[in-house]
Amino acid sequence: MPEDFKVTPWEVTGDIDYDLLQEKFGTTPIDDALKERLSRYGELHPMIRRGVFYSHRDMVPLLDMYDKGERFVLYTGRGPSGNTHLGHLMPWIFNKWVQDTFGVDMLFQMTDDEKFLFKDLTLGDTSSMAYENALDFIALGFDPAKTRIILNTKNIDKLYPMALRISKKVTFSTAKAVFGFDNSTNIGSIFYTTLQSVPAFIPSEEAGKQVPVLIPCGIDQDPHFRVTRDVAPGLGYPKPSLMYCKMFPALNGGDKMSSSDENATIYTTDTPKAVKKKVGRAFTGGCVSVEEQREKGGNPEVCAVFKYNYYLFEHDDEALNEMATKCRNGEILCGECKMCLTEKINVFLEGHQDRREKAKDVVAGMTYDGFEW
Ligand code: TRP
């Protein structure tokens, strides 16, 4: 039977079966034993407790090294193709928790080159979006003394020698097999995965010894990092470890928030009014009439409003369970839940927008190798 979903670094469609995806990619579940181990370093993040970050590669050796005093470096990134939305913030919020919990340095790569190659955008578009997206990243509170932002087109002199060494180890047939490229693919796209691999090796290159790296990100990025991990030993670098999250859902009930449906997407720069309107139109698990819902109850499992609480906005497990129970019993109706979520998002965005403004003062100081925006 053909699968009715697709997950690649450039396209996510359909109803994603995350267990099947994990199996196909060959990643490992974040199971109770790993959760227990992670809880020794600090209170578990709700995204781990709830299985939003649900899959990994090589977390055990990374933690073993950490316990022996070997610090890892965090690495994640963003392809700047448009305004930042809540779906982008989700893995970054998790990265911030890792930085705080383990006290580690962080690299954030902005791939303006990638979005130029894969989308109908100019380099001017993608580099100005990079600046805007960087403000959102910084607004989450990453430690400016421990965090560096790479912008590919600006830092290419530093990235290129390593990208070359990587590219010599990746054949066209690997790129075709991993990414589904064909003869009509532009040749920049074929080379691109080398650039996404480079930051995984920068810490080792800079230290002149093997430094472990942890990359928490969406599971859609795994194809790149399979390539990265394959070439690592041949270049004398350790394979990076990974923690993968599910895609942040869309407000219309779809599996991934995407800028292609603006009404189902909440941007970090949205006004309270826009948020209210978008949440007001969200897909829920409610019934067609109030009477029916009071009698039969709703279904939080399919409800976008509930999912937003689950993924991001309700950290308290008890409060979340109560929400689900009351919904199933018909005690709360969709209108109330929508109002409540609108309020939570707007409170968050008010603070975020404020911090985003302040980020303009520090963004210049957080660039890798001191490039100018
Ligand atoms: N390819 C990613 C995107 O499209 C950007 C990216 C670069 C990235 N390096 C990364 C994402 C490391 C996660 C981890 O958004």
Side-chain angles (χ1 to χ4, degrees):
M1 203 181 81
E3 284 147 14
D4 50 7
F5 69 93
K6 189 172 176 188
V7 176
T8 75
W10 301 288
E11 195 187 3
V12 176
T13 53
D15 265 337
I16 307 167
D17 179 336
Y18 282 104
D19 291 333
L20 185 58
L21 191 61
Q22 169 172 258
E23 211 174 288
K24 269 178 46 186
F25 283 176
T27 59
T28 309
I30 297 179
D31 60 8
D32 288 344
L34 182 53
K35 287 184 192 174
E36 193 281 317
R37 177 146 188 205
L38 284 166
S39 72
R40 291 182 219 160
Y41 305 91
E43 198 195 329
L44 272 191
H45 196 279
M47 289 181 206
I48 295 262
R49 282 203 313 268
R50 295 181 188 165
V52 173
F53 268 83
Y54 82 112
S55 199
H56 76 104
R57 290 184 186 272
D58 280 348
M59 277 309 287
V60 171
L62 184 98
L63 294 173
D64 287 347
M65 301 245 268
Y66 185 85
D67 290 347
K68 287 190 198 130
E70 188 78 52
R71 291 285 170 274
F72 59 86
V73 172
L74 265 176
Y75 160 40
T76 200
R78 157 85 178 134
S81 56
N83 289 322
T84 313
H85 60 58
L86 295 179
H88 303 128
L89 294 189
M90 185 182 76
W92 303 349
I93 289 170
F94 183 74
N95 273 274
K96 153 91 170 114
W97 175 81
V98 181
Q99 179 172 68
D100 292 347
T101 303
F102 292 88
V104 290
D105 290 345
M106 152 125 227
L107 287 170
F108 187 66
Q109 179 183 42
M110 310 209 70
T111 56
D112 54 343
D113 50 353
E114 174 192 12
K115 295 298 155 177
F116 167 72
L117 289 166
F118 286 90
K119 296 211 165 214
D120 189 14
L121 295 168
T122 67
L123 278 172
D125 295 336
T126 61
S127 57
S128 57
M129 280 327 304
Y131 176 80
E132 295 296 321
N133 295 167
L135 298 179
D136 288 299
F137 172 78
I138 294 169
L140 297 176
F142 288 92
D143 183 343
K146 289 188 164 148
T147 309
R148 287 290 160 268
I149 301 172
I150 296 168
L151 180 54
N152 280 5
T153 57
K154 293 278 187 180
N155 292 124
I156 193 62
D157 54 337
K158 281 280 157 25
L159 307 175
Y160 195 52
M162 262 189 278
L164 278 178
R165 281 194 275 132
I166 295 163
S167 71
K168 207 168 176 177
K169 302 233 175 260
V170 185
T171 64
F172 185 30
S173 77
T174 296
K176 281 198 278 194
V178 174
F179 300 107
F181 295 149
D182 61 30
N183 284 347
S184 70
T185 306
N186 70 58
I187 59 174
S189 302
I190 298 159
F191 185 76
Y192 167 73
T193 194
T194 63
L195 280 150
Q196 185 155 331
S197 298
V198 169
F201 303 146
I202 286 179
S204 294
E205 193 62 29
E206 285 184 341
K209 60 170 189 160
Q210 297 219 344
V211 177
V213 164
L214 170 61
I215 314 173
C217 64
I219 191 160
D220 60 323
Q221 299 298 311
D222 186 63
H224 286 301
F225 296 122
R226 289 203 292 273
V227 173
T228 312
R229 287 168 52 87
D230 279 352
V231 301
L235 294 167
Y237 300 122
K239 293 186 180 192
S241 299
L242 291 123
M243 285 178 107
Y244 287 133
C245 64
K246 299 174 181 170
M247 303 292 117
F248 189 71
L251 274 174
N252 62 9
D255 267 354
K256 186 188 177 220
M257 183 172 262
S258 144
S259 300
S260 52
D261 184 351
E262 297 215 350
N263 291 323
T265 303
I266 293 173
Y267 296 98
T268 57
T269 47
D270 275 350
T271 60
K273 217 172 129 196
V275 171
K276 185 168 180 224
K277 195 162 144 200
K278 290 175 185 182
V279 174
R281 288 193 198 136
F283 178 82
T284 70
C287 301
V288 281
S289 71
V290 172
E291 294 73 34
E292 198 185 335
Q293 189 159 345
R294 289 273 181 227
E295 196 189 313
K296 295 186 181 153
N299 179 8
E301 238 117 274
V302 300
C303 175
V305 175
F306 184 74
K307 284 184 193 166
Y308 276 47
N309 281 293
Y310 187 96
Y311 275 73
L312 266 187
F313 290 101
E314 183 50 73
H315 282 195
D316 180 341
D317 289 343
E318 241 173 73
L320 190 77
N321 287 337
E322 194 182 312
M323 207 181 284
T325 308
K326 281 189 168 168
C327 169
R328 288 195 188 97
N329 295 342
E331 280 173 62
I332 31 169
L333 300 177
C334 301
E336 291 170 62
C337 281
K338 283 177 174 175
M339 250 166 47
C340 200
L341 179 65
T342 302
E343 173 69 16
K344 283 182 193 165
I345 296 178
N346 281 336
V347 167
F348 168 75
L349 285 185
E350 197 188 321
H352 182 83
Q353 287 166 6
D354 197 38
R355 291 187 296 273
R356 195 179 185 280
E357 272 308 300
K358 298 198 174 101
K360 292 178 181 166
D361 300 332
V362 293
V363 63
M366 287 175 75
T367 55
Y368 183 70
D369 218 31
F371 71 81
E372 280 184 34
W373 288 96

